[in-house]
Structure formats: C-alpha cells, structure tokens
Amino acid sequence: MATRLRICSIAFCACLMSAVYCSAVTTFEIYEAGTLNRVLKRNMLVVGMEAKFFPFEYADTAGRSVGFDVDLAKLAAQELGVRIEIKDMEFSGLIPALQGGRIDMIMSGMSRTLARAKTVSFTQPYFEAGLCALISNKRAPEVTEIGQLNAEGRILAVKLGTTGDIATARFFPKARVNRFKEESACVLEVVSGRADAFVYDQLSIGRHHAQNPGTTHAILKPFTCEPYAIAIRNGDFDFLNWLNLFLETIKADGRYEEIRKKYFNDLQ
C-alpha cells in the first residue's frame, strides 16, 4: 500500500512539473508583449512629458512641444524607424499614464529616485542637474544659505510631485510647504512675498531670478544631485536595453552634444 502511494505521489509530481513547464512563458512571448515590439508593430513611439519645463520641454509660439527632451525623443523614434507622438500632461500624471499603457516612456526631466524606481524602470542618466532655491527679497532678504530655510515660520513653494517636493521632508522638516501644480504659481508666491523660497532645478531657478531681479535672489549652488533619466514600465528589459544603447550611441557619435549645445550653451 505504501509503495502504491509513493508511485502515485511521484506520478502526481511529474504531472504537476509538466504542467508548470508547459505553462511557462517563453522568451519569445516576453518579447512579443514588450514595449519595443509593440512600438515597432504600431509604427509609433508615444512619449509622455509636461511641456512646461524650459529648456527641456516647452511650447513654441505655435503651441508645438519643443526642447532638449523633445529632440532626443524624436531622435530615438528616428533610430527606431517609427513616427512619434508627444503627449503633454501634468507631471504628477506621467507615471500613472505609463503604468496604464497610455504612453510608452516618460522623457520629461524626471530624476531617477529610489522611490520612483519602485514603480518604473529607469535608463542610465542622460542629464545631471541639482536642486537650488529662488528666494524672496520681500520675505527673506537675509537668506544666503540653503540651511537657513529649515526653520519655524519659513514657507516653501514646491511643484507637486517633483524632487523639490520630495526633498522638503529631508532638508526642510521645520518649514511649512505649499504645493502647486504649476511652476509659474511657485514663482509668483516668491515674487509676491507669500513664500520665502521656491525649491526647483538649477537652470529654472537661474532663469526665474533673471526674469525677476528686483524681487528675488537665488541660491544657485545645488544641494542635491538630480540625474534625469527615461522612465519605462518595470520589467520591460528589451526596451530598457535598446534605450541604454541608444543613449550610449548618440553620446559617442556626437549627436547628443549637438543637441545639448543647441539648448544649454547660453544657459550654462
């Protein structure tokens, strides 16, 4: 009886292993379901960005999305041999749109962080920046160092969902933080004296100070390192490998540098 039970158990395990083996996903099926294959079959690369982040992505006088990220995305589509569609949406909605399959990738001056990497995969960095601060001359004329903003009574303006928003809990736990959807609203808070500072990337802070020299001053030495990267869906390794090779290739052959000079030579 015991021998018969052992034989039945072995037979059952063999059937179970066979079923698992037969139901295993093949590498071909993984590729078929991947973004790279779907982009090629569709003949369209759909890129999500918020076109309000000069000079990375912004709208020209005709309302078309232009900028550093736009040119890089168009070059990627060109190398893929497909057309491109730019979807302009709020920054906070980019990752949900990617997860929901409404876009193929995010290229929007997005810093790769440990928190974001829980929900999306990032390529190698294609640009490095850092957080700085636009300071109100009306409310905080004495502030010359970033540490002075971490105090009771300080009010900081940040753009919702950005690393400037995320960094406030770590660097300015004593300050009050007001969050806004629009970058322009954060600048207005500082210019009008309703906030002590606006925490954002170095290039944007420098530009906003240049546009408001009488009402603001700026701390332009970055207090963080912000590596911008392309975001794709987690587990999409074929597309990740292709994008990393794309970035390596255009950096090596000079095309990346041509685009960088086009947008940043007058700013850095």
Side-chain angles (χ1 to χ4, degrees), residues 57-263:
E57 45 270 334
Y58 58 100
D60 64 10
T61 54
R64 295 168 300 197
S65 295
V66 295
F68 180 68
D69 285 346
V70 177
D71 281 9
L72 288 180
K74 286 181 177 178
L75 186 54
Q78 178 184 315
E79 288 295 322
L80 285 165
V82 301
R83 294 175 292 124
I84 188 169
E85 179 184 354
I86 302 293
K87 284 196 174 182
D88 182 11
M89 59 186 72
E90 287 186 359
F91 191 84
S92 58
L94 287 170
I95 288 180
L98 180 65
Q99 293 173 317
R102 297 191 298 278
I103 57 178
D104 299 316
M105 69 185 206
I106 299 169
M107 198 163 193
S108 191
M110 178 173 281
S111 302
R112 63 178 195 174
T113 66
L114 291 174
R116 287 172 178 159
K118 294 177 183 177
T119 54
V120 299
S121 291
F122 284 106
T123 63
Q124 62 177 258
Y126 66 88
F127 194 89
E128 288 193 2
L131 290 177
C132 295
L134 183 71
I135 312 296
S136 172
N137 285 346
K138 182 177 181 179
R139 186 178 173 89
E142 77 288 356
V143 171
T144 57
E145 297 180 359
I146 204 72
Q148 292 175 273
L149 296 174
N150 184 32
E152 298 286 344
R154 296 291 189 195
I155 299 175
L156 305 181
V158 297
K159 185 175 179 181
L160 182 67
T162 63
T163 49
D165 181 1
I166 297 168
T168 54
R170 177 183 173 189
F171 290 96
F172 315 109
K174 296 179 182 179
R176 191 175 95 199
V177 179
N178 291 335
R179 296 171 171 85
F180 301 88
K181 288 185 177 181
E182 301 291 337
E183 179 180 341
S184 57
C186 296
V187 176
L188 183 59
E189 290 294 295
V190 172
V191 169
S192 64
R194 293 191 293 268
D196 294 272
F198 169 35
V199 178
Y200 209 44
D201 77 286
Q202 183 184 35
L203 290 172
S204 296
I205 292 298
R207 180 169 59 93
H208 291 310
H209 170 52
Q211 293 171 344
N212 301 278
T215 54
T216 70
H217 61 282
I219 298 174
L220 290 175
K221 181 180 179 181
F223 63 94
T224 65
C225 177
E226 304 287 316
Y228 296 166
I230 303 170
I232 62 172
R233 281 181 285 278
N234 269 342
D236 211 339
F237 298 114
D238 287 321
F239 197 32
L240 181 64
N241 287 338
W242 189 92
L243 287 169
N244 278 330
L245 181 57
F246 163 73
L247 292 173
E248 290 171 9
T249 300
I250 64 172
K251 286 177 180 178
D253 66 22
R255 286 180 290 174
Y256 173 90
E257 185 61 18
E258 287 179 9
I259 297 173
R260 191 199 67 78
K261 286 180 178 179
K262 176 180 175 182
Y263 291 100

